[in-house]
Amino acid sequence: KKKITKFITFSGALIYDEKKLKLPCKENADLDPYKNNYIFSKYLVEQLARTYSSLLPIINIRLSNIYGPSHLKRPDLINNLFSQSFKKNKKILVNNILPKRDFIFGPDVAEAIIKLLKTDYRGMINIGSGQLTSVKDICKHIESITSKKIINLKKKVSGPYNYCHDISLLQSLINWKPKTSLKIGLNITYKESKVFISKEK
């Protein structure tokens, strides 16, 4: 009745079975959606999308580690590290610098989604950078930006230690690749997040 022409749902990379991963990870890789309530909720969204896919043109996007400026307090790695850096005389702590993940800047994701909307595609699709980036490299950039030392707690972390999306399906559908380098994306995230913090005060 609302004449919806396209419907998008969002899931995430953690839904894939980390014990059976082959990198880069394709959309048809094995799933393990029962790890915790958060991941299971993503799986339920995917099942709802599948149920109604005959009635509505639905695209289900599995996002990699998206980051960018935000006024929200989020547990994501990059936002969390920057949030810690804004606190006076507080050390920045990171659980582990060894994992390598697929980090993608929010505005690049938005551009990909807009281009996807103009296609006839329906179904599952990965959006990410398609590249492995170590948490160690993230920390080096953030230390340079904030002039604060990051302390590695060397804790065991959840999720696969190495992960990146296969984005070949996405690139076959749209003329797109991430525009923003990690260094530039982190700089923008820091500066704009700092503005959010100052306004809240």
Side-chain angles (χ1 to χ4, degrees):
K1 289 179 180 179
K2 297 293 183 184
K3 296 181 180 178
I4 294 172
T5 57
K6 195 85 67 171
F7 200 88
I8 298 176
T9 59
F10 290 93
S11 182
L14 291 175
I15 202 167
Y16 290 114
D17 189 338
E18 61 190 81
K19 294 176 183 176
K20 298 179 181 179
L21 278 180
K22 292 181 182 178
L23 300 181
C25 186
K26 292 182 176 289
E27 287 85 353
N28 61 358
D30 291 314
L31 305 181
D32 180 14
Y34 307 108
K35 297 172 203 169
N36 55 52
N37 289 342
Y38 173 75
I39 296 169
F40 186 59
S41 72
K42 299 285 188 184
Y43 180 67
L44 290 178
V45 169
E46 290 189 4
Q47 297 312 300
L48 279 169
R50 188 173 285 121
T51 300
Y52 291 100
S53 60
S54 61
L55 301 174
L56 285 171
I58 299 175
I59 301 172
N60 190 88
I61 295 171
R62 287 186 181 142
L63 284 169
S64 65
N65 294 67
I66 188 171
Y67 74 96
S70 176
H71 64 280
L72 301 174
K73 292 180 180 178
R74 296 181 54 84
D76 308 322
L77 173 74
I78 291 171
N79 291 81
N80 179 266
L81 293 176
F82 279 136
S83 292
Q84 291 183 63
S85 78
F86 296 137
K87 295 177 181 176
K88 289 183 179 178
N89 303 319
K90 185 176 172 65
K91 296 174 182 176
I92 305 177
L93 308 176
V94 66
N95 286 332
N96 201 306
I97 63 170
L98 294 179
K100 295 179 180 179
R101 302 278 167 82
D102 186 336
F103 294 92
I104 184 77
F105 191 51
D108 286 342
V109 172
E111 182 189 41
I113 292 169
I114 289 167
K115 289 192 172 190
L116 264 179
L117 285 171
K118 296 175 183 177
T119 71
D120 295 324
Y121 182 76
R122 298 181 181 204
M124 200 68 62
I125 195 158
N126 288 336
I127 294 185
S129 70
Q131 302 292 322
L132 280 168
T133 300
S134 70
V135 174
K136 184 178 180 179
D137 285 343
I138 296 278
C139 289
K140 282 182 180 177
H141 284 304
I142 290 177
E143 283 180 336
S144 174
I145 293 167
T146 63
S147 299
K148 287 191 175 183
K149 181 73 176 171
I150 297 176
I151 298 170
N152 179 19
L153 298 177
K154 299 181 181 179
K155 290 183 178 180
K156 186 178 179 181
V157 295
S158 60
Y161 266 68
N162 295 314
Y163 182 85
C164 69
H165 270 335
D166 184 315
I167 57 171
S168 56
L169 174 59
L170 177 69
Q171 292 180 321
S172 71
L173 292 168
I174 59 174
N175 181 23
W176 174 90
K177 65 178 181 178
K179 292 178 179 177
T180 313
S181 70
L182 180 65
K183 191 172 183 179
I184 291 172
L186 289 175
N187 270 295
I188 294 170
T189 301
Y190 176 73
K191 287 175 183 175
E192 295 193 15
S193 296
K194 201 171 184 178
V195 170
F196 290 140
I197 294 294
S198 63
K199 285 182 178 177
E200 287 175 2
K201 290 179 181 179

